[in-house]
Structures are given as structure tokens and as C-alpha cells.
Amino acid sequence: MKRNELIRHLEQHGCQFLREGGKHTVYVNRAANRTSTVPRHREINDFLARKICRDLQIPPP
């Protein structure tokens, strides 16, 4: 899955950009009080994309 597609999915479900890390971007779901990191790669493995969504308590893409 493309990184831009995943970020668009996260933002559509209420997640917000929190900060930039060393090699990751941190997103937060304030409704569920959960955070997760998104690596800065062009392609993100589908398994990892599902895990990020599960961490943020939103439906998978």
C-alpha cells in the first residue's frame, strides 16, 4: 500500500498528525487516546498497515 493512501485513510477516520520522529511519522487518535508510528517509506506492507490501524482502533484499509 502506498504511504499517501494510508495517511489519507488515517485522517479520514479522525487520526491527526502528532510529530515527526527520526524515520517515522507519529499519528494520534485522540478519541481512543492511541498513537502509532508510520514509517517514511513509499510502500508500506499490508500487514503493517493493518497493524497501524489496529493500534489506532480504526477499521483496516
Side-chain angles (χ1 to χ4, degrees):
M1 155 174 263
K2 298 268 186 213
R3 182 177 190 271
N4 290 337
E5 293 173 9
L6 177 61
I7 289 175
R8 191 174 310 120
H9 175 76
L10 297 178
E11 290 176 349
Q12 286 175 347
H13 286 89
C15 296
Q16 299 172 338
F17 167 81
L18 183 63
R19 65 182 171 86
E20 292 288 340
K23 295 183 181 179
H24 294 79
T25 303
V26 180
Y27 274 83
V28 62
N29 182 353
R30 296 194 191 278
N33 199 24
R34 305 288 296 231
T35 61
S36 186
T37 57
V38 179
R40 270 192 238 127
H41 302 288
R42 289 185 185 203
E43 288 286 329
I44 295 177
N45 187 341
D46 289 338
F47 178 78
L48 180 57
R50 286 194 305 269
K51 184 200 178 306
I52 290 168
C53 291
R54 190 171 48 239
D55 288 347
L56 293 170
Q57 296 181 344
I58 62 172

Short mmCIF file of all heavy atoms in Angstrom, two decimals:
data_model
loop_
_atom_site.label_atom_id
_atom_site.label_comp_id
_atom_site.label_asym_id
_atom_site.label_seq_id
_atom_site.Cartn_x
_atom_site.Cartn_y
_atom_site.Cartn_z
N MET A 1 0.85 -1.16 0.00
CA MET A 1 0.00 0.00 0.00
C MET A 1 0.90 1.23 0.00
O MET A 1 1.93 1.25 0.67
CB MET A 1 -0.91 -0.05 1.23
CG MET A 1 -1.42 1.27 1.72
SD MET A 1 -2.60 1.12 3.04
CE MET A 1 -4.07 1.22 2.12
N LYS A 2 0.50 2.25 -0.73
CA LYS A 2 1.26 3.49 -0.76
C LYS A 2 1.10 4.24 0.56
O LYS A 2 0.04 4.21 1.17
CB LYS A 2 0.77 4.39 -1.89
CG LYS A 2 0.94 3.79 -3.26
CD LYS A 2 2.24 4.21 -3.83
CE LYS A 2 2.33 3.73 -5.26
NZ LYS A 2 3.66 3.40 -5.63
N ARG A 3 2.16 4.91 0.99
CA ARG A 3 2.13 5.65 2.26
C ARG A 3 1.07 6.75 2.23
O ARG A 3 0.35 6.95 3.21
CB ARG A 3 3.51 6.25 2.51
CG ARG A 3 3.62 7.02 3.81
CD ARG A 3 5.04 7.53 4.01
NE ARG A 3 5.19 8.06 5.35
CZ ARG A 3 4.94 9.32 5.66
NH1 ARG A 3 4.53 10.17 4.75
NH2 ARG A 3 5.10 9.73 6.90
N ASN A 4 0.95 7.44 1.10
CA ASN A 4 -0.04 8.52 0.99
C ASN A 4 -1.46 7.99 1.15
O ASN A 4 -2.30 8.66 1.76
CB ASN A 4 0.09 9.25 -0.34
CG ASN A 4 1.36 10.06 -0.42
OD1 ASN A 4 1.91 10.44 0.62
ND2 ASN A 4 1.82 10.32 -1.62
N GLU A 5 -1.74 6.81 0.63
CA GLU A 5 -3.07 6.21 0.76
C GLU A 5 -3.36 5.89 2.22
O GLU A 5 -4.47 6.11 2.69
CB GLU A 5 -3.17 4.93 -0.07
CG GLU A 5 -3.10 5.15 -1.55
CD GLU A 5 -3.04 3.84 -2.32
OE1 GLU A 5 -3.21 2.76 -1.70
OE2 GLU A 5 -2.81 3.90 -3.53
N LEU A 6 -2.37 5.35 2.92
CA LEU A 6 -2.56 5.02 4.33
C LEU A 6 -2.79 6.28 5.15
O LEU A 6 -3.70 6.32 6.00
CB LEU A 6 -1.35 4.25 4.87
CG LEU A 6 -1.41 3.91 6.37
CD1 LEU A 6 -2.61 3.03 6.68
CD2 LEU A 6 -0.13 3.24 6.81
N ILE A 7 -2.02 7.32 4.91
CA ILE A 7 -2.20 8.57 5.66
C ILE A 7 -3.57 9.17 5.39
O ILE A 7 -4.25 9.65 6.30
CB ILE A 7 -1.06 9.56 5.34
CG1 ILE A 7 0.22 9.04 5.98
CG2 ILE A 7 -1.38 10.97 5.82
CD1 ILE A 7 1.45 9.83 5.67
N ARG A 8 -4.01 9.13 4.14
CA ARG A 8 -5.35 9.63 3.80
C ARG A 8 -6.42 8.84 4.55
O ARG A 8 -7.37 9.40 5.10
CB ARG A 8 -5.57 9.52 2.29
CG ARG A 8 -6.80 10.24 1.81
CD ARG A 8 -6.92 10.26 0.29
NE ARG A 8 -5.69 10.69 -0.35
CZ ARG A 8 -4.98 9.95 -1.22
NH1 ARG A 8 -5.40 8.74 -1.55
NH2 ARG A 8 -3.89 10.42 -1.77
N HIS A 9 -6.25 7.51 4.64
CA HIS A 9 -7.19 6.65 5.37
C HIS A 9 -7.21 7.01 6.86
O HIS A 9 -8.28 7.11 7.46
CB HIS A 9 -6.80 5.18 5.18
CG HIS A 9 -7.64 4.23 5.97
ND1 HIS A 9 -8.92 3.90 5.60
CD2 HIS A 9 -7.37 3.55 7.11
CE1 HIS A 9 -9.41 3.05 6.49
NE2 HIS A 9 -8.48 2.81 7.41
N LEU A 10 -6.03 7.22 7.45
CA LEU A 10 -5.95 7.56 8.86
C LEU A 10 -6.67 8.89 9.14
O LEU A 10 -7.45 8.99 10.09
CB LEU A 10 -4.49 7.67 9.32
CG LEU A 10 -3.63 6.41 9.25
CD1 LEU A 10 -2.21 6.72 9.70
CD2 LEU A 10 -4.22 5.30 10.07
N GLU A 11 -6.42 9.88 8.30
CA GLU A 11 -7.02 11.20 8.51
C GLU A 11 -8.53 11.19 8.29
O GLU A 11 -9.26 11.92 8.95
CB GLU A 11 -6.32 12.23 7.64
CG GLU A 11 -4.90 12.49 8.11
CD GLU A 11 -4.12 13.43 7.23
OE1 GLU A 11 -4.58 13.75 6.11
OE2 GLU A 11 -3.03 13.85 7.67
N GLN A 12 -9.02 10.35 7.38
CA GLN A 12 -10.46 10.24 7.16
C GLN A 12 -11.17 9.64 8.36
O GLN A 12 -12.35 9.87 8.56
CB GLN A 12 -10.75 9.39 5.92
CG GLN A 12 -10.45 10.09 4.62
CD GLN A 12 -10.63 9.19 3.43
OE1 GLN A 12 -10.76 7.97 3.57
NE2 GLN A 12 -10.62 9.78 2.25
N HIS A 13 -10.45 8.86 9.15
CA HIS A 13 -11.04 8.23 10.33
C HIS A 13 -10.70 8.97 11.62
O HIS A 13 -10.77 8.39 12.71
CB HIS A 13 -10.62 6.77 10.40
CG HIS A 13 -11.32 5.92 9.39
ND1 HIS A 13 -10.83 5.74 8.11
CD2 HIS A 13 -12.49 5.25 9.44
CE1 HIS A 13 -11.66 4.97 7.44
NE2 HIS A 13 -12.69 4.67 8.22
N GLY A 14 -10.31 10.23 11.52
CA GLY A 14 -10.15 11.06 12.71
C GLY A 14 -8.77 11.08 13.33
O GLY A 14 -8.59 11.69 14.39
N CYS A 15 -7.80 10.45 12.71
CA CYS A 15 -6.44 10.48 13.27
C CYS A 15 -5.76 11.78 12.84
O CYS A 15 -6.03 12.30 11.77
CB CYS A 15 -5.64 9.28 12.79
SG CYS A 15 -6.34 7.73 13.36
N GLN A 16 -4.86 12.26 13.69
CA GLN A 16 -4.18 13.52 13.42
C GLN A 16 -2.68 13.33 13.49
O GLN A 16 -2.18 12.51 14.27
CB GLN A 16 -4.59 14.58 14.45
CG GLN A 16 -6.05 14.90 14.44
CD GLN A 16 -6.42 15.80 15.61
OE1 GLN A 16 -5.72 15.84 16.61
NE2 GLN A 16 -7.53 16.48 15.47
N PHE A 17 -1.97 14.13 12.70
CA PHE A 17 -0.52 14.16 12.73
C PHE A 17 -0.09 14.70 14.09
O PHE A 17 -0.61 15.71 14.56
CB PHE A 17 -0.02 15.07 11.61
CG PHE A 17 1.43 15.42 11.72
CD1 PHE A 17 2.40 14.54 11.28
CD2 PHE A 17 1.82 16.63 12.26
CE1 PHE A 17 3.73 14.87 11.38
CE2 PHE A 17 3.15 16.96 12.36
CZ PHE A 17 4.12 16.08 11.92
N LEU A 18 0.85 14.02 14.75
CA LEU A 18 1.33 14.47 16.04
C LEU A 18 2.72 15.09 15.92
O LEU A 18 2.94 16.22 16.32
CB LEU A 18 1.34 13.32 17.05
CG LEU A 18 1.75 13.66 18.47
CD1 LEU A 18 0.78 14.64 19.09
CD2 LEU A 18 1.81 12.39 19.32
N ARG A 19 3.68 14.32 15.37
CA ARG A 19 5.05 14.83 15.24
C ARG A 19 5.83 13.95 14.29
O ARG A 19 5.40 12.85 13.94
CB ARG A 19 5.74 14.87 16.60
CG ARG A 19 5.94 13.50 17.22
CD ARG A 19 6.59 13.60 18.60
NE ARG A 19 6.58 12.32 19.25
CZ ARG A 19 7.52 11.37 19.10
NH1 ARG A 19 8.55 11.58 18.30
NH2 ARG A 19 7.44 10.23 19.74
N GLU A 20 7.00 14.44 13.90
CA GLU A 20 7.93 13.68 13.09
C GLU A 20 8.98 13.06 14.01
O GLU A 20 9.49 13.73 14.90
CB GLU A 20 8.64 14.58 12.08
CG GLU A 20 7.74 15.12 10.99
CD GLU A 20 7.33 14.08 9.98
OE1 GLU A 20 8.01 13.04 9.86
OE2 GLU A 20 6.31 14.32 9.31
N GLY A 21 9.26 11.80 13.79
CA GLY A 21 10.33 11.15 14.52
C GLY A 21 11.56 11.07 13.65
O GLY A 21 11.68 11.76 12.65
N GLY A 22 12.49 10.20 14.00
CA GLY A 22 13.71 10.06 13.22
C GLY A 22 13.44 9.55 11.82
O GLY A 22 13.79 10.17 10.83
N LYS A 23 12.80 8.40 11.73
CA LYS A 23 12.47 7.81 10.43
C LYS A 23 10.99 7.47 10.34
O LYS A 23 10.58 6.69 9.48
CB LYS A 23 13.30 6.56 10.20
CG LYS A 23 14.78 6.85 10.08
CD LYS A 23 15.57 5.61 9.79
CE LYS A 23 17.04 5.96 9.69
NZ LYS A 23 17.86 4.78 9.43
N HIS A 24 10.19 8.01 11.25
CA HIS A 24 8.77 7.71 11.30
C HIS A 24 7.97 8.99 11.50
O HIS A 24 8.49 9.99 11.97
CB HIS A 24 8.45 6.76 12.45
CG HIS A 24 9.04 5.41 12.28
ND1 HIS A 24 10.36 5.13 12.55
CD2 HIS A 24 8.50 4.25 11.86
CE1 HIS A 24 10.59 3.86 12.30
NE2 HIS A 24 9.48 3.29 11.88
N THR A 25 6.68 8.91 11.19
CA THR A 25 5.73 9.98 11.47
C THR A 25 4.76 9.43 12.50
O THR A 25 4.29 8.30 12.36
CB THR A 25 4.97 10.38 10.19
OG1 THR A 25 5.93 10.76 9.21
CG2 THR A 25 4.04 11.54 10.45
N VAL A 26 4.46 10.19 13.52
CA VAL A 26 3.59 9.72 14.60
C VAL A 26 2.20 10.30 14.40
O VAL A 26 2.04 11.51 14.25
CB VAL A 26 4.16 10.10 15.98
CG1 VAL A 26 3.25 9.61 17.09
CG2 VAL A 26 5.56 9.55 16.15
N TYR A 27 1.20 9.42 14.40
CA TYR A 27 -0.20 9.82 14.30
C TYR A 27 -0.92 9.45 15.58
O TYR A 27 -0.56 8.47 16.24
CB TYR A 27 -0.88 9.15 13.11
CG TYR A 27 -0.68 9.94 11.84
CD1 TYR A 27 0.48 9.81 11.10
CD2 TYR A 27 -1.63 10.84 11.41
CE1 TYR A 27 0.69 10.56 9.96
CE2 TYR A 27 -1.44 11.60 10.28
CZ TYR A 27 -0.28 11.45 9.56
OH TYR A 27 -0.09 12.21 8.44
N VAL A 28 -1.95 10.22 15.94
CA VAL A 28 -2.69 10.00 17.17
C VAL A 28 -4.17 9.96 16.86
O VAL A 28 -4.66 10.69 16.01
CB VAL A 28 -2.36 11.10 18.22
CG1 VAL A 28 -2.76 12.48 17.72
CG2 VAL A 28 -3.01 10.82 19.54
N ASN A 29 -4.87 9.06 17.55
CA ASN A 29 -6.33 9.02 17.52
C ASN A 29 -6.77 9.53 18.89
O ASN A 29 -6.73 8.81 19.88
CB ASN A 29 -6.83 7.60 17.28
CG ASN A 29 -8.33 7.52 17.19
OD1 ASN A 29 -9.03 8.49 17.45
ND2 ASN A 29 -8.83 6.35 16.82
N ARG A 30 -7.14 10.79 18.94
CA ARG A 30 -7.47 11.42 20.23
C ARG A 30 -8.74 10.85 20.84
O ARG A 30 -8.87 10.81 22.07
CB ARG A 30 -7.58 12.92 20.06
CG ARG A 30 -6.25 13.55 19.66
CD ARG A 30 -6.23 15.04 19.82
NE ARG A 30 -5.05 15.63 19.21
CZ ARG A 30 -3.86 15.70 19.77
NH1 ARG A 30 -3.67 15.18 20.96
NH2 ARG A 30 -2.85 16.26 19.15
N ALA A 31 -9.68 10.38 20.03
CA ALA A 31 -10.91 9.80 20.56
C ALA A 31 -10.62 8.54 21.37
O ALA A 31 -11.23 8.30 22.41
CB ALA A 31 -11.88 9.49 19.42
N ALA A 32 -9.68 7.73 20.88
CA ALA A 32 -9.33 6.48 21.56
C ALA A 32 -8.08 6.65 22.43
O ALA A 32 -7.68 5.71 23.11
CB ALA A 32 -9.11 5.37 20.54
N ASN A 33 -7.45 7.82 22.37
CA ASN A 33 -6.24 8.09 23.13
C ASN A 33 -5.13 7.08 22.78
O ASN A 33 -4.49 6.50 23.67
CB ASN A 33 -6.51 8.11 24.63
CG ASN A 33 -5.42 8.82 25.39
OD1 ASN A 33 -4.71 9.65 24.82
ND2 ASN A 33 -5.27 8.50 26.65
N ARG A 34 -4.92 6.86 21.47
CA ARG A 34 -3.93 5.89 20.99
C ARG A 34 -2.99 6.56 20.00
O ARG A 34 -3.40 7.47 19.27
CB ARG A 34 -4.63 4.72 20.29
CG ARG A 34 -5.68 4.00 21.11
CD ARG A 34 -5.07 3.18 22.20
NE ARG A 34 -4.27 2.13 21.63
CZ ARG A 34 -4.36 0.87 21.95
NH1 ARG A 34 -5.21 0.49 22.87
NH2 ARG A 34 -3.60 -0.01 21.38
N THR A 35 -1.74 6.12 19.95
CA THR A 35 -0.78 6.62 18.98
C THR A 35 -0.15 5.46 18.23
O THR A 35 -0.13 4.32 18.72
CB THR A 35 0.35 7.43 19.65
OG1 THR A 35 1.06 6.58 20.54
CG2 THR A 35 -0.19 8.63 20.39
N SER A 36 0.36 5.77 17.04
CA SER A 36 1.08 4.77 16.26
C SER A 36 2.03 5.48 15.32
O SER A 36 1.82 6.64 14.97
CB SER A 36 0.10 3.90 15.44
OG SER A 36 0.82 2.87 14.80
N THR A 37 3.08 4.79 14.91
CA THR A 37 4.07 5.39 14.02
C THR A 37 3.89 4.83 12.61
O THR A 37 3.59 3.66 12.43
CB THR A 37 5.50 5.10 14.50
OG1 THR A 37 5.68 3.69 14.59
CG2 THR A 37 5.75 5.73 15.85
N VAL A 38 4.10 5.70 11.63
CA VAL A 38 4.03 5.32 10.22
C VAL A 38 5.42 5.54 9.64
O VAL A 38 5.94 6.65 9.67
CB VAL A 38 3.00 6.19 9.46
CG1 VAL A 38 2.96 5.81 7.99
CG2 VAL A 38 1.63 6.06 10.09
N PRO A 39 6.05 4.47 9.12
CA PRO A 39 7.40 4.64 8.57
C PRO A 39 7.38 5.51 7.32
O PRO A 39 6.38 5.58 6.62
CB PRO A 39 7.84 3.21 8.25
CG PRO A 39 6.60 2.42 8.16
CD PRO A 39 5.59 3.10 9.03
N ARG A 40 8.49 6.19 7.07
CA ARG A 40 8.59 7.05 5.90
C ARG A 40 9.18 6.27 4.73
O ARG A 40 10.27 6.56 4.25
CB ARG A 40 9.44 8.27 6.22
CG ARG A 40 8.61 9.39 6.76
CD ARG A 40 9.41 10.68 6.80
NE ARG A 40 9.39 11.12 8.19
CZ ARG A 40 10.44 11.40 8.90
NH1 ARG A 40 11.63 11.33 8.39
NH2 ARG A 40 10.31 11.77 10.15
N HIS A 41 8.42 5.28 4.24
CA HIS A 41 8.77 4.53 3.05
C HIS A 41 7.66 4.76 2.04
O HIS A 41 6.52 5.02 2.41
CB HIS A 41 8.86 3.03 3.33
CG HIS A 41 9.84 2.67 4.39
ND1 HIS A 41 11.20 2.74 4.21
CD2 HIS A 41 9.66 2.25 5.67
CE1 HIS A 41 11.80 2.37 5.32
NE2 HIS A 41 10.90 2.07 6.23
N ARG A 42 7.97 4.66 0.76
CA ARG A 42 6.92 4.85 -0.25
C ARG A 42 5.88 3.76 -0.17
O ARG A 42 4.69 4.01 -0.31
CB ARG A 42 7.53 4.87 -1.64
CG ARG A 42 8.30 6.12 -1.89
CD ARG A 42 8.78 6.18 -3.29
NE ARG A 42 9.62 7.37 -3.41
CZ ARG A 42 9.85 7.96 -4.54
NH1 ARG A 42 9.33 7.49 -5.64
NH2 ARG A 42 10.60 9.03 -4.57
N GLU A 43 6.33 2.53 0.02
CA GLU A 43 5.43 1.39 0.12
C GLU A 43 5.42 0.89 1.56
O GLU A 43 6.46 0.78 2.19
CB GLU A 43 5.89 0.25 -0.80
CG GLU A 43 5.67 0.51 -2.26
CD GLU A 43 4.21 0.41 -2.67
OE1 GLU A 43 3.47 -0.38 -2.07
OE2 GLU A 43 3.83 1.13 -3.60
N ILE A 44 4.22 0.59 2.06
CA ILE A 44 4.07 0.03 3.41
C ILE A 44 3.39 -1.32 3.25
O ILE A 44 2.37 -1.44 2.56
CB ILE A 44 3.25 0.98 4.31
CG1 ILE A 44 4.03 2.27 4.50
CG2 ILE A 44 2.96 0.33 5.64
CD1 ILE A 44 3.33 3.31 5.30
N ASN A 45 3.97 -2.32 3.86
CA ASN A 45 3.45 -3.68 3.81
C ASN A 45 1.99 -3.69 4.30
O ASN A 45 1.65 -2.99 5.25
CB ASN A 45 4.33 -4.55 4.71
CG ASN A 45 4.00 -6.01 4.61
OD1 ASN A 45 2.93 -6.40 4.16
ND2 ASN A 45 4.93 -6.83 5.05
N ASP A 46 1.13 -4.47 3.63
CA ASP A 46 -0.29 -4.52 4.01
C ASP A 46 -0.47 -4.99 5.45
O ASP A 46 -1.35 -4.51 6.16
CB ASP A 46 -1.06 -5.44 3.07
CG ASP A 46 -1.22 -4.83 1.69
OD1 ASP A 46 -1.12 -3.59 1.58
OD2 ASP A 46 -1.45 -5.59 0.74
N PHE A 47 0.36 -5.93 5.89
CA PHE A 47 0.27 -6.41 7.27
C PHE A 47 0.56 -5.28 8.24
O PHE A 47 -0.14 -5.10 9.24
CB PHE A 47 1.26 -7.56 7.48
CG PHE A 47 1.27 -8.09 8.89
CD1 PHE A 47 0.27 -8.93 9.33
CD2 PHE A 47 2.27 -7.71 9.77
CE1 PHE A 47 0.27 -9.41 10.64
CE2 PHE A 47 2.28 -8.18 11.07
CZ PHE A 47 1.27 -9.04 11.50
N LEU A 48 1.58 -4.47 7.95
CA LEU A 48 1.92 -3.33 8.80
C LEU A 48 0.83 -2.27 8.78
O LEU A 48 0.50 -1.69 9.82
CB LEU A 48 3.26 -2.72 8.36
CG LEU A 48 3.74 -1.52 9.16
CD1 LEU A 48 3.88 -1.87 10.64
CD2 LEU A 48 5.05 -1.03 8.60
N ALA A 49 0.22 -2.04 7.62
CA ALA A 49 -0.88 -1.06 7.54
C ALA A 49 -2.06 -1.50 8.41
O ALA A 49 -2.65 -0.67 9.11
CB ALA A 49 -1.32 -0.91 6.09
N ARG A 50 -2.38 -2.80 8.40
CA ARG A 50 -3.46 -3.30 9.25
C ARG A 50 -3.10 -3.15 10.73
O ARG A 50 -3.94 -2.81 11.55
CB ARG A 50 -3.76 -4.76 8.93
CG ARG A 50 -4.50 -4.94 7.63
CD ARG A 50 -5.08 -6.33 7.48
NE ARG A 50 -4.09 -7.39 7.64
CZ ARG A 50 -3.39 -7.92 6.65
NH1 ARG A 50 -3.55 -7.49 5.42
NH2 ARG A 50 -2.52 -8.88 6.88
N LYS A 51 -1.83 -3.38 11.08
CA LYS A 51 -1.40 -3.25 12.47
C LYS A 51 -1.49 -1.79 12.94
O LYS A 51 -1.93 -1.52 14.05
CB LYS A 51 0.02 -3.75 12.66
CG LYS A 51 0.45 -3.72 14.12
CD LYS A 51 1.93 -3.74 14.27
CE LYS A 51 2.36 -3.67 15.71
NZ LYS A 51 1.82 -2.56 16.45
N ILE A 52 -1.10 -0.85 12.09
CA ILE A 52 -1.19 0.57 12.43
C ILE A 52 -2.64 0.94 12.69
O ILE A 52 -2.96 1.62 13.67
CB ILE A 52 -0.57 1.43 11.32
CG1 ILE A 52 0.95 1.24 11.29
CG2 ILE A 52 -0.92 2.91 11.52
CD1 ILE A 52 1.64 1.81 10.07
N CYS A 53 -3.55 0.48 11.83
CA CYS A 53 -4.98 0.77 12.02
C CYS A 53 -5.51 0.12 13.29
O CYS A 53 -6.30 0.73 14.02
CB CYS A 53 -5.78 0.30 10.81
SG CYS A 53 -5.44 1.28 9.33
N ARG A 54 -5.06 -1.09 13.57
CA ARG A 54 -5.49 -1.77 14.80
C ARG A 54 -4.98 -1.03 16.03
O ARG A 54 -5.71 -0.87 17.01
CB ARG A 54 -4.98 -3.21 14.78
CG ARG A 54 -5.57 -4.09 15.86
CD ARG A 54 -5.22 -5.56 15.68
NE ARG A 54 -3.81 -5.79 15.43
CZ ARG A 54 -3.34 -6.39 14.33
NH1 ARG A 54 -4.14 -6.82 13.39
NH2 ARG A 54 -2.03 -6.57 14.17
N ASP A 55 -3.74 -0.53 15.98
CA ASP A 55 -3.18 0.24 17.08
C ASP A 55 -3.99 1.51 17.34
O ASP A 55 -4.17 1.92 18.48
CB ASP A 55 -1.73 0.62 16.81
CG ASP A 55 -0.78 -0.56 16.91
OD1 ASP A 55 -1.19 -1.62 17.44
OD2 ASP A 55 0.36 -0.41 16.47
N LEU A 56 -4.46 2.14 16.26
CA LEU A 56 -5.22 3.38 16.38
C LEU A 56 -6.72 3.15 16.56
O LEU A 56 -7.48 4.09 16.66
CB LEU A 56 -4.96 4.26 15.15
CG LEU A 56 -3.55 4.80 15.02
CD1 LEU A 56 -3.35 5.44 13.67
CD2 LEU A 56 -3.25 5.79 16.13
N GLN A 57 -7.12 1.88 16.56
CA GLN A 57 -8.51 1.48 16.74
C GLN A 57 -9.43 2.07 15.68
O GLN A 57 -10.48 2.64 15.97
CB GLN A 57 -9.01 1.82 18.14
CG GLN A 57 -8.29 1.06 19.22
CD GLN A 57 -8.78 1.38 20.62
OE1 GLN A 57 -9.46 2.36 20.84
NE2 GLN A 57 -8.42 0.54 21.56
N ILE A 58 -9.00 1.93 14.40
CA ILE A 58 -9.84 2.31 13.29
C ILE A 58 -9.95 1.11 12.36
O ILE A 58 -9.15 0.18 12.46
CB ILE A 58 -9.28 3.54 12.52
CG1 ILE A 58 -7.92 3.24 11.92
CG2 ILE A 58 -9.21 4.75 13.43
CD1 ILE A 58 -7.41 4.33 11.00
N PRO A 59 -10.94 1.08 11.44
CA PRO A 59 -11.06 -0.07 10.54
C PRO A 59 -9.87 -0.17 9.58
O PRO A 59 -9.31 0.87 9.20
CB PRO A 59 -12.37 0.19 9.78
CG PRO A 59 -12.70 1.61 10.02
CD PRO A 59 -12.00 2.05 11.26
N PRO A 60 -9.52 -1.37 9.19
CA PRO A 60 -8.40 -1.53 8.26
C PRO A 60 -8.75 -0.99 6.88
O PRO A 60 -9.92 -0.94 6.52
CB PRO A 60 -8.17 -3.05 8.21
CG PRO A 60 -9.41 -3.66 8.70
CD PRO A 60 -10.07 -2.65 9.61
N PRO A 61 -7.73 -0.62 6.10
CA PRO A 61 -8.00 -0.08 4.74
C PRO A 61 -8.47 -1.16 3.79
O PRO A 61 -8.25 -2.31 4.01
CB PRO A 61 -6.66 0.48 4.32
CG PRO A 61 -5.65 -0.18 5.17
CD PRO A 61 -6.33 -0.59 6.41
#
